[in-house]
Amino acid sequence: MYVNSRSEGFGDEVKRRIMLGTYVLSAGYYDAYYRKAQKVRRLIMNDFENAFGKVDFIISPLLPIQLSGSVRKSKIRFQCI
């Protein structure tokens, strides 16, 4: 029952990713992939800690696009919460 439910429940992409994760975490490839990924993760975390160590908050746009001129010129007020 366990084998049947696993083979039916997971699609091809999920099975592929499970096998790739098992392969990467195997003893021979631990240093080559996992340890490098952990180092990159630590570098990214250090950058965030440095950025937030200097300021209390970071303001960024809410939308990934620039608003059109008519929306910017409207009298709509945005409120900070």
Side-chain angles (χ1 to χ4, degrees):
M1 180 176 162
Y2 179 79
V3 173
N4 290 339
S5 66
R6 291 295 186 190
S7 61
E8 292 173 8
F10 294 141
D12 291 337
E13 181 63 22
V14 174
K15 291 178 190 175
R16 199 173 305 123
R17 288 178 184 223
I18 290 172
M19 292 304 295
L20 180 63
T22 303
Y23 174 75
V24 166
L25 291 176
S26 66
Y29 294 95
Y30 179 84
D31 287 335
Y33 296 104
Y34 186 73
R35 189 167 302 209
K36 285 182 184 178
Q38 288 293 74
K39 286 180 182 178
V40 170
R41 179 177 174 257
R42 173 44 62 196
L43 291 172
I44 292 170
M45 286 177 56
N46 288 344
D47 285 345
F48 272 97
E49 288 172 359
N50 288 337
F52 283 104
K54 298 174 186 174
V55 297
D56 293 330
F57 55 90
I58 295 177
I59 298 175
S60 66
L62 298 175
L63 301 173
I65 59 171
Q66 195 172 26
L67 295 176
S68 66
S70 61
V71 174
R72 279 187 283 169
K73 292 177 185 176
S74 69
K75 296 186 181 200
I76 298 172
R77 299 273 182 211
F78 294 98
Q79 214 174 19
C80 294
I81 300 173

